[in-house]
Amino acid sequence: MKIDIRSLTVDENVTFKDAFKITSRTLRTAFVLDKNHRFCGIITDGDIRRALMTSAKMEDPIKNYYNRDPVFIKDGKLNKQDVNPEEVYIIPVLNTDDRVIDYKTPKDLRRVAFVSGITGQDGAYLAYFLVKKGYTVVGGYRRTSNCSFEKLKRLNILDKIRLENFDITDLSSIMRIIEKCEPREIYNLAAQTFVQISFDEPYSTSMYTGLSVINFLEAIRLTDPSIKFYQASSSEMFGNTDQPKQSENTVFRPASPYAVAKLFGHLSTKNYRNSYNMFCASGILFNHESPLRGLEFVTRKITYNAAQIKLGLSKELRIGNLKAKRDWGYAYDYVKSMWLMLQQDEPDDYVIGTGRAYSVEQFIQKTFEYLNLDYKKYLTIDETYFRPADIECLTSHPEKAIKKLGWNPDVTLLDKLIKIMVDADLDYLQNKSEVKVEN
Ligand code: NAP
């Protein structure tokens, strides 16, 4: 059924539900209902409204365009006694002279965030953080034969999240979630994240970690360009840099298929910000770890194996390159920076790290020292873990994030991070799987 909204006559028999159906089919046009749910006007939202206000300089686009007076709810406040937030559709924001300065819809007032990669380390911590802030969190997961929500369970938040299946390579699945859940913020954390694997599977890594970012950007552009977008970029993009510390201005020299793919996603995020004026922010995060880090990653492999050795469950730790130096932080501190990036007035890129680098060998030594063990007795170098090209050292220069976001990189230093991870692994191996979040 095709409806020309300008010739539409609506009487009191039209219920909100009918109106809503028509609304969602007629792009960016909504009905204004008074507090008794009576129809009293039509308003265009988003692009059409902006175009009307700027090009025609109309004081009140609704009245001029539709020749109807909308009923305004003053101050843009939802007064729960008078209105039902599910049913009132448009809430104009008035200034002190009763002039309309903006419009809000209930979805602007609800804090809904879509987190892709909800089954991963950062997805779980970010969901925990957002739930605590009062958000409705929609978690995107891909259906696999052994789909696991273990990390969400370990943080005790599985029942507080709305789960939606999707795949980052499938544009329509992302658009479906946006249309169904109306998120105001989207955090794209999903990717093939293991650098070593990216050398074995360069094509699929390029697709999952790089190209798929376009699906998020396009889905937002096509459905609702006012949604704020966070892209999980990586310090691996700096590669074998000649700068002792890396900031937002350091030249990228990616040295793995993973890093090349991340750089594609990073530059695409920037491009949509500049080309379409969309709120697209990118966090260039240095390594961040936690008890929820995958066991294939070197830090967790160290803490888990050391805990096993302590409990007499293993006798050996097999590691590749001991000399690689990385700037390691605590994942929960880092997800806070993601949220901060989307609360700024303007979108931007930020380097997030502690500013200090340690070698893999130092990490091992500190871990074993914490358990009163001599690491040299248990360590075996295994060349099968060496990468075709490895990066010697990455160290962040997070000044911009400290100054602009108020982000604090000092909260969890390496010794404390190791304690958090080892204690949790000792618990885990003794069947206590719940993970405490250290603030
Ligand atoms: P992670 O634990 O490996 O999680 C990756 C997530 O991506 C998982 O939930 C995974 O789902 C999902 N995923 C992979 N392919 C998918 C697909 N085709 N469709 C839907 N979901 C898919 O990674 P993380 O440590 O949380 O990292 C989060 C993000 O930050 C990643 O983009 C990573 O590259 C980036 N990053 C991480 C670090 C770090 O130190 N942790 C540093 C810089 C940047 P499954 O459970 O189904 O596999």
Side-chain angles (χ1 to χ4, degrees):
M1 182 173 58
K2 208 172 163 216
I3 297 165
D4 178 359
I5 48 161
R6 274 163 289 187
S7 61
L8 190 71
T9 52
V10 184
D11 62 31
E12 286 183 17
N13 295 324
V14 175
T15 65
F16 177 73
K17 276 207 166 93
D18 293 334
F20 183 78
K21 266 194 211 152
I22 298 164
T23 301
S24 57
R25 286 195 196 139
T26 52
L27 274 181
R28 301 188 180 289
T29 305
F31 291 79
V32 182
L33 308 176
D34 68 14
K35 64 184 180 183
N36 298 316
H37 309 154
R38 280 190 311 239
F39 174 82
C40 51
I42 297 173
I43 186 172
T44 60
D45 193 14
D47 293 344
I48 301 171
R49 177 171 60 78
R50 266 197 294 279
L52 283 169
M53 290 185 95
T54 48
S55 64
K57 295 208 170 35
M58 292 174 180
E59 204 165 290
D60 181 345
I62 313 155
K63 192 168 178 183
N64 279 296
Y65 196 64
Y66 294 110
N67 198 23
R68 289 175 193 268
D69 280 320
V71 170
F72 294 149
I73 297 159
K74 290 205 180 188
D75 305 328
K77 277 186 201 146
L78 271 180
N79 185 344
K80 286 213 170 103
Q81 289 88 38
D82 295 338
V83 294
N84 177 346
E86 291 302 318
E87 291 174 326
V88 175
Y89 204 61
I90 294 290
I91 304 153
V93 179
L94 308 183
N95 72 4
T96 44
D97 312 326
D98 275 1
R99 279 170 50 134
V100 184
I101 51 170
D102 199 1
Y103 297 91
K104 286 197 182 298
T105 63
K107 71 177 181 182
D108 290 320
L109 302 173
R110 277 185 297 130
R111 303 183 98 188
V112 181
F114 172 36
V115 179
S116 78
I118 197 77
T119 54
Q121 169 189 262
D122 291 6
Y125 278 109
L126 180 62
Y128 180 96
F129 176 77
L130 293 174
V131 165
K132 259 192 17 176
K133 284 228 161 280
Y135 277 73
T136 298
V137 177
V138 180
Y141 73 99
R142 60 176 161 170
R143 208 210 72 82
T144 55
S145 58
N146 64 346
C147 185
S148 164
F149 299 115
E150 194 207 342
K151 295 183 173 72
L152 297 169
K153 283 186 197 148
R154 292 190 69 189
L155 289 182
N156 213 2
I157 49 162
L158 182 56
D159 59 348
K160 300 184 178 70
I161 289 165
R162 174 172 171 181
L163 291 165
E164 292 285 340
N165 65 293
F166 89 116
D167 195 291
I168 39 178
T169 58
D170 191 330
L171 172 67
S172 67
S173 69
I174 300 172
M175 291 180 72
R176 171 180 51 78
I177 293 180
I178 294 179
E179 273 160 7
K180 190 168 156 192
C181 307
E182 299 188 331
R184 303 309 305 141
E185 295 171 12
I186 294 182
Y187 296 84
N188 178 29
L189 310 181
Q192 193 298 100
T193 60
F194 196 44
V195 177
Q196 182 95 22
I197 290 281
S198 78
F199 286 102
D200 298 337
E201 299 171 13
Y203 184 87
S204 61
T205 301
S206 308
M207 196 168 60
Y208 291 134
T209 306
L211 262 184
S212 295
V213 178
I214 292 290
N215 282 340
F216 283 91
L217 294 164
E218 276 295 285
I220 293 172
R221 186 178 74 81
L222 295 170
T223 54
D224 183 352
S226 69
I227 296 172
K228 293 181 171 182
F229 177 69
Y230 171 84
Q231 167 59 17
S233 292
S234 165
S235 57
E236 290 285 321
M237 300 186 309
F238 293 120
N240 270 319
T241 171
D242 51 11
Q243 297 296 308
K245 290 201 167 193
Q246 297 85 52
S247 73
E248 296 76 8
N249 302 321
T250 304
V251 174
F252 296 116
R253 288 184 186 166
S256 65
Y258 168 81
V260 171
K262 275 286 173 196
L263 186 54
F264 175 84
H266 180 71
L267 295 177
S268 301
T269 302
K270 245 184 155 92
N271 184 39
Y272 273 65
R273 181 198 306 159
N274 297 332
S275 304
Y276 300 112
N277 202 20
M278 283 161 47
F279 194 110
C280 302
S282 193
I284 307 172
L285 270 54
F286 282 61
N287 289 46
H288 43 281
E289 319 296 316
S290 77
L292 300 185
R293 188 69 146 144
L295 282 168
E296 67 277 30
F297 290 91
V298 69
T299 52
R300 179 78 197 291
K301 189 173 174 182
I302 295 167
T303 60
Y304 187 78
N305 276 271
Q308 279 189 316
I309 291 169
K310 183 73 183 175
L311 296 173
L313 302 171
S314 166
K315 291 192 166 67
E316 189 188 37
L317 170 66
R318 298 184 83 84
I319 291 286
N321 183 5
L322 286 182
K323 304 284 167 239
K325 282 184 156 185
R326 292 290 183 275
D327 178 338
W328 281 298
Y330 177 41
Y332 190 60
D333 296 336
Y334 285 47
V335 300
K336 290 180 195 164
S337 76
M338 300 173 186
W339 176 78
L340 282 169
M341 285 178 218
L342 296 200
Q343 311 316 307
Q344 305 305 303
D345 291 337
E346 299 295 332
D348 210 340
D349 304 327
Y350 295 90
V351 156
I352 301 292
T354 68
R356 305 168 189 84
Y358 295 88
S359 68
V360 172
E361 188 163 8
Q362 285 171 308
F363 195 103
I364 296 173
Q365 188 179 358
K366 281 173 178 290
T367 303
F368 278 70
E369 267 171 20
Y370 177 65
L371 290 166
N372 292 318
L373 296 169
D374 175 4
Y375 77 97
K376 290 198 171 134
K377 283 191 194 160
Y378 305 96
L379 184 63
T380 303
I381 304 300
D382 185 339
E383 294 203 350
T384 57
Y385 294 126
F386 279 73
R387 295 175 185 172
D390 208 349
I391 301 169
E392 282 168 27
C393 180
L394 288 172
T395 319
S396 63
H397 183 66
E399 280 312 298
K400 181 171 163 186
I402 295 168
K403 285 198 183 116
K404 285 195 161 181
L405 300 179
W407 184 75
N408 177 5
D410 281 333
V411 264
T412 312
L413 299 180
L414 193 65
D415 289 328
K416 185 164 176 211
L417 173 65
I418 288 174
K419 179 180 172 347
I420 293 170
M421 292 176 71
V422 173
D423 288 352
D425 278 331
L426 286 169
D427 280 354
Y428 189 65
L429 287 163
Q430 295 172 99
N431 296 324
K432 282 181 260 164
S433 66
E434 192 167 328
V435 167
K436 281 188 239 112
V437 176
E438 305 277 340
N439 286 299

